[in-house]
């Protein structure tokens, strides 16, 4: 269903501005409709007494369908990040060919890309998606295998289902928005807004997780709590990366630098705040992973006008943000160690 967005790109024809405006409006309207629908249907989705369909309760069906839609949307080629990955790999191979002794370093976003900002994680950081999707597959399997009256674990998964479904809807819409048709600043903001909305939805799911964490089983913790917390942490940082790309396309270098510093310290502070207030170490660990990757990348661009000093300072800021997140993990787990 995403293929029509690539029709003009495949034909190498310019997409009319009116068509871009309509597409952006449709995506935003779909996101608003999904939010309204989930808010209205949430009690029914999470109900333990609602009538089953094909032997599945609404929360089980919605959990499985949301995951399927998410995976399907992500698998459709043609997104901007797919093209950036191919270019970055070619860039790394070319650099290696020039200097056989040089270490091949693949950037997530090519050094000369218009989407590259000062707040960009190194390519290796995106390997976390494999763990997230594998964990969420286990989440769906656990939900489908849950018998009626499954106790605290079932109640927790039921409570999470509406927010989880909304987060998957926003991610599918992001897959439609993060494409060449929306590369202009007047449309590029849509993908950033969708990631922020997804982070909010995952934050709502995370609150539901924490409310039931103490009574749920260990199996539920590893198959449901951990992957959703990882997803929440990663999307929180992905939203900042997307925002910084938007700023890089629109603003002067001093604004880009200020946004990158605020993102580094803000992500570290957010990771520490969530972990210290909830006692969940997973979120801050993912934030630390992302900020370490930002520090590893270095923010250098082929068209860079900034000197090395501010770039090195930004690298240090990302490292300190990661350390703050890791410190919060240690502090949050001290009561458990004391017990």
């Amino acid at each position: 269903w995403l293929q029509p967005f690539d029709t003009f790109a495949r034909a190498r024809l310019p997409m009319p501005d009116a068509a871009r405006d309509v597409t952006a409006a449709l995506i935003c309207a779909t996101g608003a409709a999904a939010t309204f629908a989930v808010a209205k249907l949430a009690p029914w989705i999470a109900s333990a007494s609602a009538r089953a369909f094909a032997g599945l309760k609404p929360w089980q069906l919605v959990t499985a369908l949301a995951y399927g839609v998410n995976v399907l949307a992500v698998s459709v080629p043609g997104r901007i990040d797919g093209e950036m990955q191919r270019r970055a790999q070619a860039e790394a191979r070319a650099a290696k060919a020039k200097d056989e002794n040089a270490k091949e370093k693949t950037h997530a976003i090519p050094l000369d890309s218009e989407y590259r900002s000062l707040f960009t994680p190194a390519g290796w950081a995106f390997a976390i998606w494999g763990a997230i999707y594998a964990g969420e597959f286990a989440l769906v399997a656990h939900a489908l295998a849950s018998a009626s009256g499954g106790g605290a674990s079932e109640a927790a998964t039921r409570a999470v289902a509406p927010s989880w479904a909304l987060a998957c809807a926003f991610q599918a819409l992001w897959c439609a928005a993060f494409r060449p048709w929306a590369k202009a600043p007047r449309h590029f903001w849509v993908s950033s807004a969708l990631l922020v909305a997804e982070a909010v939805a995952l934050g709502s799911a995370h609150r539901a997780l924490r409310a039931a964490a103490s009574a749920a089983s260990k199996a539920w913790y590893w198959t449901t709590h951990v992957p959703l917390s990882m997803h929440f942490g990663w999307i929180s940082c992905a939203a900042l990366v997307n925002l910084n790309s938007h700023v890089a396309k629109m603003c002067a270098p001093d604004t880009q630098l200020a946004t990158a510093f605020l993102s580094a310290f803000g992500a570290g502070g957010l990771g520490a705040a969530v972990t210290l207030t909830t006692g969940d170490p997973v979120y801050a660990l993912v934030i630390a992973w992302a900020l370490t990757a930002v520090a590893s990348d270095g923010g250098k661009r082929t068209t860079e006008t900034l000197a090395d000093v501010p770039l090195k300072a930004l690298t240090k800021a990302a490292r300190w943000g990661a350390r703050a997140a890791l410190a919060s993990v240690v502090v949050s787990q001290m009561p458990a160690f004391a017990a």
Side-chain angles (χ1 to χ4, degrees), residues 289-306:
W289 167 274
L291 288 175
T292 300
V294 170
S296 174
D297 180 87
K300 192 71 175 177
R301 299 174 289 195
T302 53
T303 57
E304 193 59 73
T305 58
L306 295 172

Side-chain angles (χ1 to χ4, degrees), residues 310-323:
L311 292 179
K312 289 180 179 179
L314 181 58
T315 296
K316 290 183 179 180
R319 286 175 179 159
W320 277 108
R323 289 167 184 162

Side-chain angles (χ1 to χ4, degrees), residues 120-134:
T120 298
W124 54 261
F126 292 85
I128 197 173
W129 275 121
I132 290 173
Y133 277 106

Side-chain angles (χ1 to χ4, degrees), residues 254-333:
D254 56 344
T255 303
Q256 296 177 39
L257 187 62
T259 304
F261 270 105
L262 288 173
S263 298
F265 289 125
L270 181 62
V274 170
T275 291
L276 290 175
T277 55
T278 66
D280 178 17
V282 178
Y283 183 83
L285 286 172
V286 173
I287 295 292
W289 167 274
L291 288 175
T292 300
V294 170
S296 174
D297 180 87
K300 192 71 175 177
R301 299 174 289 195
T302 53
T303 57
E304 193 59 73
T305 58
L306 295 172
D308 288 339
V309 173
L311 292 179
K312 289 180 179 179
L314 181 58
T315 296
K316 290 183 179 180
R319 286 175 179 159
W320 277 108
R323 289 167 184 162
L326 289 174
S328 72
V329 172
V330 175
V331 173
S332 70
Q333 299 306 299

Side-chain angles (χ1 to χ4, degrees), residues 20-117:
R20 298 174 193 268
D21 293 342
V22 170
T23 302
L26 285 174
I27 289 175
C28 293
T30 303
T35 303
F36 179 80
V38 169
K40 288 294 184 181
L41 295 175
W44 174 76
I45 294 172
S47 173
S49 59
R51 185 168 64 90
F53 295 88
L56 297 175
K57 292 289 188 179
W59 63 272
Q60 294 174 306
L61 188 62
V62 167
T63 298
L65 286 177
Y67 180 77
V69 168
N70 192 347
V71 172
L72 178 63
V74 169
S75 65
V76 176
R79 295 197 315 271
I80 290 172
D81 54 329
E83 177 60 28
M84 288 191 300
Q85 183 180 25
R86 289 189 290 272
R87 286 185 54 203
Q89 290 171 347
E91 180 184 81
R93 289 193 296 269
K96 181 70 174 178
K98 288 183 178 180
D99 185 359
E100 294 183 356
N101 296 321
K103 183 179 179 181
E104 185 173 317
K105 182 177 180 180
T106 302
H107 296 275
I109 302 178
L111 296 178
D112 61 348
S113 173
E114 62 181 305
Y115 304 100
R116 183 172 176 80
S117 73

